[in-house]
Amino acid sequence: QTPVFRAGLDLVYLNVVVYDRQGRPVRGLSASDFKVFEDGQPRPIEVFGRAYEPGQDELLALDLGLLFDTSESMLNELKLSQEAAVRFLESVPRARDLLTIFFDNDIRISRYDSESQQGLFDRILQAKGGGQTALYDAVAVYLSRVADSPGRKVLVLFSDGEDSNSTLNRKEVMDLLKASAVTVYVIGFNGSATPGSVRALASRSLLLDMTQATGGALYLPSASNELGGIYERILGDLEAQYVIGYAPADRK
């Protein structure tokens, strides 16, 4: 047999969306329109890809994570949350890989390929709420499962942002998110906390931090008729993403 020699280059991949002054995603840019700086020093761009141009499957393939909060604090919002998750899956293009995590006291993981995602709809609609919330641990489990896979990684979280049962704390899970290549979008809900209370504000702050640290966005639907516009904005982001890869000067 012909011997095969493999070589590797450690690259940092950045998923980027560019917006104009009206907040619309900008397409048609090239690598020369971007500059990457590491510790204030420019680095050459080694890899560049546009999500709306086919032919770079491995680099631009979409790995989708769906985290669905079924804890007791979500009981009042469960029906809207279920509808939101189903309508999102109906809207988003088929992902190469779909990892779903239902979490409350426990964390339940399922993996679907592009051919078997239809069966997930029934599971979402049959989900029942109860128990405490292990939100931080659920996010960490997802990150550990996708850490070594190539392509674009997008996590959609359906939650009120409360955590009452995790082994990790808020800082630890935020550090994990910042070190990952995952973009987080949150469909947020009020849950059982009184609107405007310290508890509600802390939960909302966490959800906003998760999205801002990873380049995603936080959406707060109050009724099902708001979901269509939210998903159009998320899909617009995914369809207009650029993937930029550079080799770090500092190996650490």
Side-chain angles (χ1 to χ4, degrees):
Q1 294 184 354
T2 304
V4 177
F5 298 92
R6 300 189 183 278
L9 176 64
D10 290 330
L11 295 178
V12 175
Y13 286 101
L14 308 170
N15 296 329
V16 178
V17 182
V18 180
Y19 299 96
D20 64 16
R21 294 181 186 274
Q22 286 72 44
R24 298 170 300 197
V26 177
R27 302 188 181 198
L29 302 178
S30 63
S32 61
D33 294 309
F34 293 88
K35 291 183 179 179
V36 176
F37 294 85
E38 180 187 70
D39 295 330
Q41 299 300 313
R43 299 297 302 160
I45 293 174
E46 307 283 353
V47 176
F48 183 82
R50 292 182 278 239
Y52 54 89
E53 290 183 356
Q56 303 177 77
D57 294 341
E58 190 70 9
L59 176 65
L60 294 168
L62 179 63
D63 284 349
L64 182 63
L66 188 152
L67 265 65
F68 194 78
D69 187 343
T70 58
S71 64
E72 187 172 356
S73 66
M74 282 287 291
L75 282 177
N76 294 335
E77 302 277 8
L78 190 58
K79 185 175 181 180
L80 178 58
S81 179
Q82 288 169 320
E83 182 179 351
V86 168
R87 289 183 61 179
F88 177 77
L89 289 173
E90 289 174 340
S91 302
V92 75
R94 290 295 188 189
R96 173 182 62 182
D97 191 53
L98 173 58
L99 185 67
T100 65
I101 297 179
F102 293 78
F103 65 93
D104 38 56
N105 283 323
D106 302 315
I107 297 173
R108 302 172 295 283
I109 307 169
S110 300
R111 189 180 292 275
Y112 296 81
D113 59 27
S114 60
E115 303 301 321
S116 62
Q117 292 174 21
Q118 185 66 34
L120 178 58
F121 292 177
D122 290 338
R123 183 171 182 190
I124 291 172
L125 294 174
Q126 293 168 5
K128 300 186 185 300
Q132 294 182 304
T133 315
L135 170 59
Y136 302 157
D137 287 355
V139 172
V141 167
Y142 169 76
L143 295 177
S144 69
R145 295 298 179 98
V146 301
D148 296 326
S149 62
R152 297 180 296 153
K153 305 176 185 68
V154 173
L155 172 62
V156 182
L157 170 64
F158 298 83
S159 177
D160 58 5
E162 292 197 26
D163 188 288
S164 56
N165 197 45
S166 286
T167 58
L168 295 178
N169 61 37
R170 176 170 176 159
K171 181 182 183 304
E172 289 170 331
V173 77
M174 287 303 304
D175 287 344
L176 290 174
L177 282 169
K178 291 173 184 176
S180 75
V182 174
T183 304
V184 179
Y185 292 91
V186 176
I187 312 298
F189 302 91
N190 288 327
S192 61
T194 302
S197 65
V198 173
R199 176 180 157 197
L201 292 174
S203 299
R204 189 66 47 83
S205 171
L206 167 71
L207 298 178
L208 187 60
D209 285 352
M210 285 182 169
T211 60
Q212 290 184 336
T214 61
L218 168 64
Y219 298 101
L220 303 166
S222 58
S224 59
N225 61 5
E226 300 174 14
L227 296 175
I230 289 173
Y231 296 151
E232 284 182 12
R233 291 194 289 273
I234 294 177
L235 293 177
D237 281 3
L238 298 183
E239 291 169 356
Q241 275 187 338
Y242 301 89
V243 177
I244 299 172
Y246 78 96
D250 185 349
R251 299 292 294 178
K252 297 179 182 179

